Amino acid sequence: VDKSITATAPGTPCAGLSPVELDAWRGFLRAHAAVARRLDAELQEHHGLPLTSYDVLVNLEDAEGGRLRMYELAGAVLLSLSGVTRLVDRLVADGLVCRERCAQDRRGAFCVLTDAGRARLAKARPTHLDGVRRLFLAAFSTEELAGLGTLWRRLAP
Amino acid sequence: VDKSITATAPGTPCAGLSPVELDAWRGFLRAHAAVARRLDAELQEHHGLPLTSYDVLVNLEDAEGGRLRMYELAGAVLLSLSGVTRLVDRLVADGLVCRERCAQDRRGAFCVLTDAGRARLAKARPTHLDGVRRLFLAAFSTEELAGLGTLWRRLAP
DNA sequence: GAAGATTGACCCATCAATCTTA
DNA sequence: TAAGATTGATGGGTCAATCTTC
């Protein structure tokens, strides 16, 4: 019997992954690590802006009135609520956003993009988009990108 | 002219991404964040083992003699050298690995899998593999997985 | 001097507990 | 009591500087 695929010791209560599965999975992990690392480094070097901070600015600019509730921001940037609190603390210190108490529900707070934040984002965006194209998009055809898009949609939320 | 694709203000020195590009890129980021988060949580809950620690144990077991130089380990788990030093510190404290000075080159150090580490890995592996299958592999056909594998190979190292 | 690895200072994120307002 | 957000404690990571051995 050919055991070359699993390389699992006899008696092990689980079978290993096939080469195809391994390549898809490990490649996915390596791809993410490599691209995210370099994008963050480039953004940091040229604009003093970590990737997560950039992500916050982008989401605020896309939002109505340049403002988002803290919990909305957390959902948008894939961070915990407390993580967003700290992140916004830093951005406030840098003058890129400000907080605004919510008028109707005084428990709530908005995070609002400042003019300085908008300006910084405008400068950083070309760097970031260039990086995404160069390090990720450029490797694939339009059809392949469309394929990837549909594949991602299948993963459970 | 149809500007609906870019949504970029006039005068902006870069064009935005197309919907197809956005779906492929953002989906990639969300997919990674979601899957990695849950895998780490499951491993941590059932075996008290973070994903990076698990990754170290796997790489050691695959290696000749269950041992790897620190710099080799760093390359394998996609961490900086100092990051690996800290990580191995923790694993040594847990008794899952031990350090061994290199005989030929006394600057170097090996990280060696202990029996306890091997045992812990054997228990954790089914949980991890099940998670990878359930949260990632199960969403795709074999052909699609093979496709993903070839796509990842195109990204620059 | 350079390679292999560690350490010190610091950055960034999470969970659980907390504070405030509804 | 519950919802929105922040805080304290802690885990885990990076870079730059350092120590040892080649």
Side-chain angles (χ1 to χ4, degrees):
Chain A
V1 191
D2 178 15
K3 308 271 289 184
S4 65
I5 285 185
T6 62
T8 302
T12 301
C14 70
L17 302 181
S18 73
V20 167
E21 292 175 319
L22 260 178
D23 281 4
W25 171 241
R26 292 222 154 135
F28 175 66
L29 294 182
R30 297 194 91 87
H32 179 271
V35 175
R37 226 186 257 291
R38 293 192 54 180
L39 282 180
D40 191 75
E42 291 180 4
L43 218 44
Q44 191 106 28
E45 177 182 354
H46 298 305
H47 305 281
L49 214 52
L51 198 48
T52 48
S53 299
Y54 176 87
D55 207 12
V56 165
L57 299 185
V58 167
N59 277 284
L60 288 177
E61 190 179 56
D62 287 351
E64 189 69 29
R67 71 189 53 220
L68 241 30
R69 292 290 290 264
M70 294 300 281
Y71 70 90
E72 295 178 300
L73 203 47
V77 302
L78 308 176
L79 243 49
S80 72
L81 207 38
S82 65
V84 168
T85 293
R86 321 266 190 201
L87 178 47
V88 168
D89 284 347
R90 275 171 260 144
L91 293 174
V92 168
D94 286 349
L96 303 181
V97 306
C98 62
R99 280 184 230 257
E100 234 177 67
R101 207 109 210 117
C102 179
Q104 289 78 20
D105 183 343
R106 292 210 314 258
R107 291 171 303 182
F110 284 104
C111 178
V112 190
L113 193 58
T114 64
D115 289 345
R118 227 176 265 278
R120 183 77 77 88
L121 176 56
K123 282 197 177 180
R125 176 167 274 143
T127 301
H128 177 69
L129 291 184
D130 175 66
V132 172
R133 290 201 177 93
R134 192 165 26 83
L135 301 173
F136 185 79
L137 300 174
F140 314 119
S141 71
T142 301
E143 291 72 29
E144 288 166 342
L145 289 176
L148 283 177
T150 70
L151 291 192
W152 303 143
R153 265 187 282 284
R154 289 205 216 133
L155 294 176
Chain B
V1 190
D2 178 15
K3 309 271 286 183
S4 67
I5 286 184
T6 62
T8 303
T12 300
C14 70
L17 303 181
S18 73
V20 167
E21 291 175 320
L22 259 178
D23 281 4
W25 171 241
R26 292 223 153 134
F28 175 67
L29 294 182
R30 296 194 91 86
H32 179 272
V35 174
R37 225 186 258 293
R38 293 192 54 179
L39 282 180
D40 190 77
E42 291 180 4
L43 218 43
Q44 190 104 30
E45 177 181 355
H46 298 306
H47 305 281
L49 214 52
L51 197 48
T52 48
S53 299
Y54 176 87
D55 207 12
V56 165
L57 300 185
V58 167
N59 278 284
L60 287 177
E61 191 179 56
D62 287 351
E64 189 69 29
R67 71 189 52 220
L68 241 29
R69 292 289 289 264
M70 294 301 280
Y71 71 89
E72 295 178 300
L73 204 47
V77 302
L78 307 176
L79 243 49
S80 71
L81 207 38
S82 65
V84 168
T85 293
R86 320 269 190 199
L87 179 46
V88 169
D89 284 346
R90 277 172 257 144
L91 293 174
V92 168
D94 286 350
L96 304 180
V97 307
C98 62
R99 279 182 230 258
E100 235 178 67
R101 209 112 210 116
C102 181
Q104 290 76 23
D105 183 344
R106 291 210 313 258
R107 293 171 300 182
F110 284 103
C111 178
V112 189
L113 193 57
T114 64
D115 289 344
R118 228 175 263 278
R120 182 77 76 88
L121 176 57
K123 281 197 178 181
R125 175 167 274 144
T127 301
H128 177 70
L129 291 183
D130 174 66
V132 172
R133 291 201 176 92
R134 194 164 25 83
L135 301 173
F136 186 79
L137 300 174
F140 315 119
S141 72
T142 301
E143 291 72 29
E144 288 166 342
L145 289 176
L148 284 177
T150 70
L151 291 193
W152 302 144
R153 266 187 282 284
R154 289 206 216 132
L155 294 177

